[in-house]
Amino acid sequence: MKLLESSRFEAINNALSIQTSGITIFGRIESYSCKMVAAEKVLYKRFTAETHGHDLQALSPPQTLVDFSPNFRRNNSHSGDEGITLCDTISRKTLFYLIATLNASFEPDYDFSEAKSHEFSKEPSLQWVMNSIHSNLSALAGDQYQVLRQPLWSAVDDEVNLSECDIYSYNPDLSSDPFGEPGCLWSFNYFFYNKKLKRIVFFTSRAVNSLYAGETSDFSMEEDVYN
């Protein structure tokens, strides 16, 4: 996976570092080409061997849908390991792209090579994802996010053509979560995958109690460029 440089994303990322009312919000949007580098090709061969030739891997339902509707099921859902309810499927190559994106974004601090398909979900719609992100960010950042909202989604759309994307999320358990840290109030990790462009835009964010933020900060705290 190759990180695609974007001055628009850099400006938005600076603006996504927000401090308000005892809470620090960190956010990052990155664009990646799905062309594998040599090391990833080696990992992909191992990955395909471990899936025993099964091309389709089962995903978990979107976490927020489960939260709002505990009895949520889809017609094609079935039970997976450890009683996890699974629904939707993903090709092993696409799943590998998501894992490789996580590795590229969080290296060298985290290694997601052992991540399993049930830690990922396919999101039901772009609007649902936008509403979920808006709900998280606007509740804490208020007007600071409102100013950023339109240029943010415009930049993502220009980069990856949202109407053509499949959208996935990463929802690990606490032991695997890079944001499973003291003081973390919420986090999200979304992948906007355009198969035609062979490109993924990764949007990750978390809100941390400011008492802990100094211990976990990995984004520069700069003035909001949209003010």
Side-chain angles (χ1 to χ4, degrees), residues 11 35 57 59-60 70 112 123 134 144-145 158 160-161 170 172 176 186 189-190 212 220 226-227:
K35 184 177 181 180
Q57 306 295 308
L59 298 169
S60 291
F112 298 87
E123 301 304 326
H134 174 73
Q144 292 183 70
Y145 173 66
D158 289 345
V160 80
N161 197 347
Y170 176 58
S176 304
W186 53 253
N189 304 279
Y190 288 110
Y212 298 89
S220 60
Y226 292 99
N227 277 344

Side-chain angles (χ1 to χ4, degrees), residues 51-120:
T51 56
H52 307 293
H54 299 298
D55 184 58
L56 295 179
Q57 306 295 308
L59 298 169
S60 291
Q63 186 59 48
T64 302
L65 284 182
V66 176
D67 291 341
F68 287 138
S69 181
N71 296 321
F72 171 76
R73 297 290 186 274
R74 292 185 186 173
N75 292 335
N76 64 336
S77 64
H78 56 281
S79 294
D81 295 340
E82 303 176 1
I84 299 169
T85 299
L86 304 174
C87 64
D88 289 323
T89 56
I90 187 172
S91 73
R92 58 186 174 183
K93 177 166 280 191
T94 301
L95 176 60
F96 182 81
Y97 286 155
L98 303 186
I99 293 172
T101 298
L102 288 171
N103 280 334
S105 184
F106 288 99
E107 67 177 357
D109 298 321
Y110 297 93
D111 182 0
F112 298 87
S113 301
E114 301 301 320
K116 305 302 181 185
S117 63
H118 66 73
E119 297 178 87
F120 296 86

Side-chain angles (χ1 to χ4, degrees), residues 123-140:
E123 301 304 326
S125 73
L126 171 62
Q127 192 59 53
W128 179 84
V129 170
M130 293 175 71
N131 289 345
S132 178
I133 290 173
H134 174 73
S135 177
N136 280 324
L137 292 176
S138 64
L140 296 180

